[in-house]
Amino acid sequence: MPFSPIPLGHAIPDLPHAVSCSLPTMRAVCGYEVKAPEVIAAMRGGYPRFVLHRFVKKLTDHYAKACGSARYLWLTSSAQMAEQVRRELARSGHTAQVHDFDGIDGVSHDDSPAIAQLARLFLQNTGGFLASRAAEDRLAQLGLVPAPQPEAAFGNGAPDRALVEIRRQLAPLFPENSPDSLMLAPNGMNAVYAAFSALAEAQAAQGRHTWVQLGWLYLDTIALLKHHARDNAQHYCYLPDVFDLAALETLFAQRGAQIAGLVIEAPTNPLIQTPDLPAIYTLAKKHGAAVIVDPSVSSIYSVDVLPYADVVCSSLTKYTASEGDLVAGLVVVNPHCANADSLHKSISTRLDPVYPRDLARLAHQIAATPDVLAKVERSTATVAAWLEAHPSVKRVAWAHSPESRANYQKLARHPDAVGGLISFTLRGPIEAFYDAVSLPKGPSFGMQTTLLCPFIYLAHYDLVTSEAGRRELAASGLEPELLRLSVGCEPVEDLIAALDAALSQAPADG
């Protein structure tokens, strides 16, 4: 069935806990970024770490009354997270109070936009917001919303059985790890935050403080690394070219004793570049540096990166929760890395808990992942080849792009395991194409539903809209008008037809 346009702000998919929402025009995208009233009023959802779910908002408003009119309240994923927010604000000279609303945790502070921005960014970067299902359940208990809408869940919703099932499904991907060693997180960023914090502390004890960002990473991962280095710029180093092994060798030769570790996406988001991970890991181990690898762009089902990492952090929101209505993350420690047991323990104490209903929902969906990915990956290869041949398309990036293919194949679990992401740029302006294309348009990826977005506008609007920012993007090989396509499970001929119809309205500039 051909695609039908989805109105502004509608949830994608049309489910109570959807993780995406429709931004059908470039005007809507820009309006969303600048908080234009007419766009914000139309929003019925959004990606959970950027847009508070309506259930979380409603529950926050309910409990905020207990804090007083002069206080601003955030509900968090745990008491530990609330305390971390309090400490973060204290570092900036602000006082905050931790709350326990009968098992729902939160932190309040003076009702100041500046303080609220600090707290919000910290929670966004660490994945610390209260889960929407947790908020929904409490609201239902309070009689403020109807009972939760029925949804399929594994084991009648029993969290212990759900966790066992999730680990059982994931265990074949990590045959040298026991199933119990696979650590679940409430979202991918909480997984990255816990792993990075544990490794940073362990490496700092050895006098190593500098972390290396290899290639352009997801915005919250970049923020996490820069936050680590906010008191000392020498503690953060960015190498933009993931293929320049010589630059990394030079850096280790100059500062090897100071380097704590590297954070790498394989492939990267949104350029879908794959570095030579085996060579990088060998170099890092030679100099005593740790390596964190995030394979979310293609998924842990498509690439095997654990042999070349001390810790793997992945978003299970992508591909594994393929129905698009929950967030979750995973951390796996390489059992052969130094002090693996102590590192596992340190990370596990830093992770926030996954809400039981999210576990049960994930356990219900996870068994479909191999079949979903097989269909997605077949279509991805077909669509990438079609885009590469289209005269209106300037550049296409995907797992098998020539510059990355050899490195990617070192990690791929099988020859057709290419993930579901394609990035491309057009020879002309993107507005006519983006506004005309009938595909679902919104943030996130790795769903059964195809999603298109102008990624740089959504993730780095501040850089897109300034000359200095555009120069920064250009230095990293990023074009502001890059489009990121997450291929779904719809018939590939319908997907290509939708792209073709819209590209006919975006002729090449030559």
Side-chain angles (χ1 to χ4, degrees), residues 117-137:
Q117 177 71 349
L118 287 174
R120 186 191 68 78
L121 281 176
F122 183 81
L123 287 165
Q124 174 188 310
N125 298 157
T126 59
F129 292 110
L130 180 70
S132 61
R133 285 181 174 85
E136 181 185 32
D137 286 349

Side-chain angles (χ1 to χ4, degrees), residues 148-431:
Q149 179 177 314
E151 60 183 7
F154 181 86
N156 295 318
D160 290 345
R161 291 181 61 190
L163 180 58
V164 169
E165 173 64 8
I166 293 166
R167 285 172 166 165
R168 186 185 73 81
Q169 293 283 345
L170 295 173
L173 305 176
F174 306 100
E176 296 191 60
N177 293 70
S178 68
D180 289 347
S181 73
L182 307 181
M183 295 177 279
L184 275 291
N187 50 69
M189 273 315 302
N190 192 252
V192 173
Y193 173 64
F196 174 77
S197 298
L199 275 168
E201 181 179 275
Q203 291 290 73
Q206 304 301 316
R208 295 173 174 267
H209 300 277
T210 299
W211 282 84
V212 180
Q213 171 192 333
L214 186 62
W216 193 269
L217 306 179
Y218 185 58
L219 76 159
D220 285 318
T221 306
I222 296 174
L224 195 62
L225 290 170
K226 290 183 175 180
H227 184 274
H228 162 78
R230 64 180 178 176
D231 295 326
N232 188 332
Q234 291 297 309
H235 292 171
Y236 167 73
C237 180
Y238 172 41
L239 297 181
D241 187 350
V242 302
F243 305 117
D244 192 350
L245 192 60
L248 187 59
E249 291 172 337
T250 298
L251 179 65
F252 272 113
Q254 295 172 343
R255 300 176 58 188
Q258 304 165 31
I259 297 175
L262 296 83
V263 180
I264 305 168
E265 291 175 0
T268 61
N269 184 13
L271 290 175
I272 319 182
Q273 297 175 328
T274 305
D276 186 348
L277 207 53
I280 291 168
Y281 189 63
T282 298
L283 180 61
K285 293 298 97 182
K286 176 182 176 181
H287 291 275
V291 177
I292 298 173
V293 178
D294 181 349
S296 298
V297 162
S298 284
S299 93
I300 51 175
Y301 284 79
S302 295
V303 291
D304 182 13
V305 298
L306 188 61
Y308 316 112
D310 293 286
V311 181
V312 170
C313 303
S314 186
S315 171
L316 299 182
T317 310
K318 318 302 191 293
Y319 304 107
T320 309
S322 63
E323 293 184 34
D325 69 340
L326 69 91
V327 292
L330 176 71
V331 183
V332 184
V333 174
N334 187 331
H336 301 295
C337 80
N339 304 313
D341 290 342
S342 61
L343 180 57
H344 180 279
K345 182 177 181 180
S346 180
I347 294 171
S348 66
T349 61
R350 298 164 194 266
L351 287 168
D352 274 1
V354 184
Y355 188 64
R357 274 184 62 204
D358 286 332
L359 276 177
R361 183 71 174 144
L362 177 60
H364 166 72
Q365 297 183 33
I366 193 171
T369 307
D371 289 340
V372 167
L373 261 169
K375 187 168 188 177
V376 164
E377 290 177 327
R378 284 195 299 271
S379 295
T380 297
T382 301
V383 174
W386 184 86
L387 285 169
E388 286 172 336
H390 199 286
S392 293
V393 177
K394 180 170 65 173
R395 185 175 294 111
V396 178
W398 65 301
H400 281 184
S401 293
E403 64 178 1
S404 279
R405 183 168 187 152
N407 289 341
Y408 186 87
Q409 288 177 326
K410 294 177 184 178
L411 312 176
R413 293 188 182 273
H414 57 83
D416 298 324
V418 296
L421 274 191
I422 302 169
S423 291
F424 62 100
T425 55
L426 304 180
R427 296 189 184 280
I430 66 171
E431 286 81 2

Side-chain angles (χ1 to χ4, degrees), residues 75-88:
L75 299 182
T76 62
S77 49
S78 69
Q80 172 180 255
M81 182 59 68
E83 175 59 20
Q84 288 172 336
V85 177
R86 187 197 67 77
R87 291 177 182 174
E88 176 67 16

Side-chain angles (χ1 to χ4, degrees), residues 2-8 10 12 22 24-25 435-441:
F3 293 93
S4 298
I6 301 173
L8 169 63
H10 282 222
I12 305 176
S22 179
T25 65
D435 291 2
V437 71
S438 59
L439 298 175
K441 289 172 274 188

Side-chain angles (χ1 to χ4, degrees), residues 482-508:
L482 175 146
L483 292 154
R484 191 185 72 181
L485 177 66
S486 173
V487 176
C489 290
E490 303 90 348
V492 68
E493 57 270 21
D494 289 349
L495 205 165
I496 289 175
L499 291 169
D500 194 30
L503 284 170
S504 68
Q505 301 184 42

